[in-house]
Amino acid sequence: SSDLLIRPALTDRSTGAADPVGLSAPFMARERMRWWIGLDIGSYAETRKWHGGDVMIAQALTGTEKSHPVWGTGLSAGLISGKGWGLSIGIMYCASRSEFRHVDHVLAPMDSWVPYDLLLNDQVIANYTETVTVLEPAQEQVAVENRYSTLRIPLEASWQHGMGRWKYRAAIGPAIEFNTLRSGATLERDADGDLLSTVDVQATNRKRTTVLMTGSVALDLGYALTEDWQIWAGPSYAMGLFPLSRSTNYPYAMPARPGLHARLCYMLLFH
């Protein structure tokens, strides 16, 4: 057998003097940022509690409030990072109707008949009856349908994750709300200031729009219909935090609004 030949190393430096070969760092693709726009719909069960201003009126108005359905629709847009963190802003219009029921304490006219006899030497020679009208305390049942509209501008921070086509998402954020009583009834003190009476909101000069800061949380389940289209749905809860605009000392209503909502999203851009 032939002897193995040992070839010298192709280097002119000693092992200790060798320098590392400079290699460029491997290219790492930047996480994709996704932009989207969505169509939102929602159905909620709203209750309202009145605060501030005249305590007597606020408590009475709270007693007239019943839970009522609210329907809303709107648009939203936002972005989502490759790690699932997102931010969005939107606008939603909600409309609702609720029953206003109140017992007004009023002074109602009451007619009574008073008989009179005309006597002469203890003999009745004539008689007649006179009608006397007096004001008596009475109760009047009032039932009116109140119509409300709400314009919401929500800002949401979210995080989402999932596998395959299925995803889940949690979101939280504030919203500015413009709540308007469009028609119906409200309460005011009477001329003496002792009793409350129902008045038509169209006949008063009171400001019927209150600007509120609200907060909301939501949990959604999503499904990717295609590469560009996604649908989301889940429960949400919104509640009033504090008023932003009050031009009078009249009480204002703070809503509590649990419900369900859905969103159809279209992915606009990837980069």
Side-chain angles (χ1 to χ4, degrees), residues 134-174:
V134 295
L135 296 178
E136 295 286 344
Q139 293 183 346
E140 182 180 17
Q141 296 281 347
V142 179
V144 182
E145 182 183 70
N146 282 1
R147 298 187 179 187
Y148 299 95
S149 67
T150 300
L151 184 66
R152 300 185 70 244
I153 303 176
L155 178 66
E156 282 189 340
S158 63
W159 179 81
Q160 70 179 50
H161 189 63
M163 295 183 63
R165 289 179 177 266
W166 291 98
K167 304 176 186 295
Y168 55 88
R169 170 181 175 270
I172 187 172

Side-chain angles (χ1 to χ4, degrees), residues 217-228:
V217 293
L219 294 174
D220 295 333
L221 181 65
Y223 183 76
L225 302 173
T226 66
E227 183 179 358
D228 296 329

Side-chain angles (χ1 to χ4, degrees), residues 77-205:
L79 54 86
I80 183 77
S81 72
K83 291 185 177 181
W85 295 102
L87 189 66
S88 67
I89 191 171
I91 184 169
M92 174 172 278
Y93 178 83
C94 301
S96 64
R97 299 181 181 185
S98 68
E99 293 184 0
F100 176 97
R101 295 184 180 274
H102 186 256
V103 178
D104 284 2
H105 296 272
V106 298
L107 294 176
M110 302 292 292
D111 293 335
S112 60
W113 291 268
V114 180
Y116 292 93
D117 295 329
L118 183 59
L119 302 177
L120 179 61
N121 297 326
D122 295 332
Q123 292 184 354
V124 178
I125 61 174
N127 57 56
Y128 64 94
T129 302
E130 183 178 353
T131 302
V132 179
T133 301
V134 295
L135 296 178
E136 295 286 344
Q139 293 183 346
E140 182 180 17
Q141 296 281 347
V142 179
V144 182
E145 182 183 70
N146 282 1
R147 298 187 179 187
Y148 299 95
S149 67
T150 300
L151 184 66
R152 300 185 70 244
I153 303 176
L155 178 66
E156 282 189 340
S158 63
W159 179 81
Q160 70 179 50
H161 189 63
M163 295 183 63
R165 289 179 177 266
W166 291 98
K167 304 176 186 295
Y168 55 88
R169 170 181 175 270
I172 187 172
I176 297 176
E177 290 193 2
F178 299 83
N179 292 325
T180 302
L181 175 57
R182 309 194 68 86
S183 64
T186 187
L187 296 176
E188 287 188 347
R189 288 184 180 269
D190 61 8
D192 296 330
D194 299 326
L195 300 175
L196 297 180
S197 59
T198 302
V199 294
D200 191 325
V201 295
Q202 303 289 350
T204 67
N205 294 323

